[in-house]
Amino acid sequence: MQAWAIPAALLGFFESRAAGCCSSTNPTFFYHHLPLSRLSPISVLPRSCSRFPSVRVQFSAGENGHISQEESGGSAMEEAREAIIDILREYGASEEDTRMIALNSPQYLDMIVGNVRELDEHSLWSSWGRGSDAEEGGEDIASLSFREKVRCMAKSKRDGGLFPFLESLGIRHSSAMVIARYLASEKLPDLIDKVKFVKEMLFSSSESILVIGKNARRMMMHLSIFIDDDIQETLAFFEKMEARHGGLNMLDQGDAYFPNLIESFPRLLLLSVEYHLRPLADFLVLVGVPIASIRIVLLLYPPIIFYDIENDIKSRLDVLKKAGFDKDIGKILIKYPWFLSSSVQKNYDKIVEFFTGRKVPKASVDLAIRSWPHILGCSTHKMNSIVVQFGQLGVYARRLAPVITSSPQLLLRKPDEFLQVVSFLKHFGFDAITIGRILSRCPEIFAASVDDTLQRKVNILTDFGISRNYLPRVIRKYPELLLLDVNTTLLPRMRYLMDIGLSKKEVSSMISRFSPLLGYSIEAVFKPKLEFLLTNMQKPLKEIVEYPRYFSYSLDKKIKPRFWVLKSRNISCSLKDMLGKNNEEFAAEYMGIGRLLVPPAPIPPEDNQ
C-alpha cells in the first residue's frame, strides 16, 4: 500500500490556518490535515469546528503554489448525507434510524467529505482505486458525482455503519473509531436493537429526584477496603463522569451519561439481548428490584451487567440470605449494589468478626447493614478508630449494639468529625459520662453537622428566649430537640403555644423546665389534652405553664381516670398533685387506700405522638 504525504509547504499552510479555525474572526474555517492513505485517513478537525457543517472551505492549488479558498454551500453536505443514508439503508437500518444516524454523526460526515475533497484536489482517485475493493474502478470513480464519491469513500471504511451509529449516540469521535473495530462482528440492525433495549432498561424511570449521582459519591467517599477489578472499573467510570460537565449528576439526567457508559464498558454491546440482558432484568425484578430502579443498580455497579446469573449473582446473594436479608435483597441492591463484588463480600465476614470480638451480636451487625449498607465498604481498621472514641465515652460491649443499629452511619465518620460533636457538648458543661449517655440515647446527634444542624437549633432556642444557663438542662432532658426540623417541627410548636394565649416568656419557661415538650405532636397531643384541660377540667392556662409535664401523660390512661376520681370526690388540686404522684401515693392521698391499679408513669414524648 502506497502512502501519500502532504508537501511541507502545504502542510505549513494548513498548520498556520489551524490555530484560527475556530476563532471569532473566521468561525467557518474548516480544514483536514490528512495523510492520503486509502484505508485510514485521519481527521484532526477540532470538535468545536463541527458546529458549522453547512459551510466549508475547499483548497485548490493555483499558480505559484498559492492556495485559493472556495466556499461550498449546504447542498454538497446534504448530498453527502443522503449518500450515507443510502449506505446505512444497505446495511439494514430502518428509514427512521438511517436519518437519525446521518443527522447526528457530523464528524463522521466531515471526515468522509474531507477525504473525498482531498483526493479531488490532488487528482489521486486513480491511485486510490488501484488495488482497492471499491465497486468502481479508479478511473471511473474520478468521473463520478460528488454523492457517488462519498458513497465509495464511506464503503471503503468497512465499518458496517457502526462508526456513524456510535457517534450518533454521543460517543466521542476518537472513541467511536476504536469501539467500531471492537464491535466489527456486530451487524448494524442488531446493534441498534441492542442499544434500544439497554436504553429501555436504563431510562425506564421518569423520576427526577437526584439520587444516583449522590449515592455514587457517597459510595466512593466511604470506600476504604482493598478493591477488586469490578469496583476499580466502576470507579474509573465514575471518575470519567465526574470530569465531564455535569459530573455524576448526569447519572440522573436522561441519557446524558450513555456515551460515557459505552466508552467505559464497550463489551456491553456484545451481550445477547435474549440470552443475557433480558434475563438479567427479569432476575433483578424477581429479587425485589422494581423495574424503575433497575437503572440505579446498573449505573451504580455496571459490572453486574456482565455477571452470570447462576454462577455469579445467585451465589453472591446467598450471603444476604444467610444473614436473613431475604426480603431486603432488592432494597440493599438499590442502596449498595457493590455488595455483589468479591472484595465487599470478603469484608462482610471481617466486619462480623470485628464486632463479635466486641460482644456485639451478629443480629445487630446485620440490622446495621440492612439500614446502612455503605458500611460494607469500610475497613475494620477505620471502624476501630471510631469505636475507640465510643469506648472513651463509656459506650462499649452491650451499649455499643443499640448505637450501631440506631445510627450505623456513625461507623463511617472520621474521628475528628465525631470529636467536633463531643467538643460541642462539652461546651455546655457535660462530662464524658453524660455525653456517653446522650450518645446511647440519640446517636444520630453525633452524625449531624455542628454548624448546620446542632448550633443552629441552639441559636433558635436562645433567640426565642431560652436562657443559656438553662440550655444544659434543656439538652440533657431532651437531646433529640437538636435534630428537630426547624420549619416543620420546632417553630410551629412554639408558635402554637403562643397562639393559644401564652406569652413568649411563658413558653420559654415551659421549655426550660420540660424540654420534651418540643417533641409532642400538635394534633395528637397538644390539642386534645388542652381541650380536656380547658373544657372538662376547667383549669386556666397558667396550670400548664406551672406544670408543662402535663402533656407527657396519657389522656385516656391517666389524665381522665384520675380527674374523674377527684371530681367524684369533689377534690380540687393542681396538675402536679394530680399527676405527679405514683399510683400508691395517689390512692393513699385521695382515695384512702394503699394501692390502686391504674396505668403508671409518664409516656415518653416519642411514644405519645
Side-chain angles (χ1 to χ4, degrees), residues 166 169 171 179 182-183 186 190-191 193-202 233 237 257-273 276-278 280 298-299 301-307:
L166 292 170
L169 297 177
I171 296 173
I179 297 174
Y182 181 76
L183 301 174
E186 293 289 308
D190 296 336
L191 192 61
D193 290 341
K194 193 174 298 184
V195 167
K196 288 179 179 178
F197 181 81
V198 173
K199 285 191 172 186
E200 183 181 350
M201 292 173 66
L202 297 175
E233 280 190 307
F237 168 56
Y257 58 82
F258 192 72
N260 298 284
L261 180 68
I262 298 302
E263 287 184 25
S264 298
F265 302 94
R267 64 187 189 280
L268 184 158
L269 298 180
L270 292 176
L271 298 174
S272 166
V273 171
H276 191 95
L277 295 176
R278 196 183 302 278
L280 174 62
L298 300 184
L299 291 178
Y301 189 52
I304 191 179
I305 300 173
F306 309 104
Y307 283 5

Side-chain angles (χ1 to χ4, degrees), residues 2 13 17 28 99 134 222 233-234 269 300 325 329 458 598:
Q2 183 178 6
F13 174 83
R17 288 285 187 156
T28 60
R99 296 199 172 275
H222 296 309
E233 280 190 307
T234 303
L269 298 180
L300 288 178
F325 297 156
I329 290 177
V458 170
V598 291

Side-chain angles (χ1 to χ4, degrees), residues 420-544:
Q420 286 179 8
V421 180
V422 173
S423 178
F424 170 80
L425 295 173
K426 284 184 176 181
H427 178 71
F428 295 98
F430 298 144
D431 57 18
I433 295 177
T434 303
I435 296 175
R437 289 172 181 166
I438 294 175
L439 171 61
S440 297
R441 174 174 172 174
C442 190
E444 293 85 355
I445 288 177
F446 294 82
S449 166
V450 171
D451 294 330
D452 297 336
T453 301
L454 306 182
Q455 187 61 52
R456 185 185 178 201
K457 308 300 168 54
V458 170
N459 293 341
I460 289 175
L461 291 174
T462 54
D463 291 344
F464 186 77
I466 307 297
S467 170
R468 290 189 177 273
N469 294 330
Y470 285 100
L471 280 177
R473 172 188 172 90
V474 169
I475 296 173
R476 185 172 60 252
K477 289 290 185 181
Y478 189 54
E480 290 86 351
L481 69 84
L482 294 174
L483 299 174
L484 296 179
D485 185 88
V486 173
N487 297 317
T488 62
T489 304
L490 199 59
L491 293 179
R493 290 169 185 176
M494 291 176 172
R495 293 192 192 106
Y496 173 79
L497 292 173
M498 294 177 63
D499 289 343
I500 64 175
L502 299 175
S503 67
K504 181 181 287 189
K505 183 177 180 180
E506 288 173 325
V507 175
S508 297
S509 174
M510 293 171 67
I511 295 172
S512 297
R513 286 182 289 118
F514 188 65
S515 51
L517 191 70
L518 295 173
Y520 297 132
S521 165
I522 293 176
E523 296 297 327
V525 178
F526 282 158
K527 287 186 176 181
K529 293 180 182 180
L530 187 63
E531 181 182 0
F532 188 79
L533 177 82
L534 300 176
T535 305
N536 298 92
M537 301 175 68
Q538 296 184 341
K539 289 183 176 292
L541 286 175
K542 69 176 184 178
E543 290 274 354
I544 60 172

Side-chain angles (χ1 to χ4, degrees), residues 281-310:
D282 293 340
F283 178 78
L284 290 175
V285 172
L286 183 64
V287 298
V289 178
I291 294 177
S293 298
I294 289 177
R295 68 188 184 102
I296 298 178
V297 177
L298 300 184
L299 291 178
L300 288 178
Y301 189 52
I304 191 179
I305 300 173
F306 309 104
Y307 283 5
D308 180 81
I309 294 175
E310 292 295 332

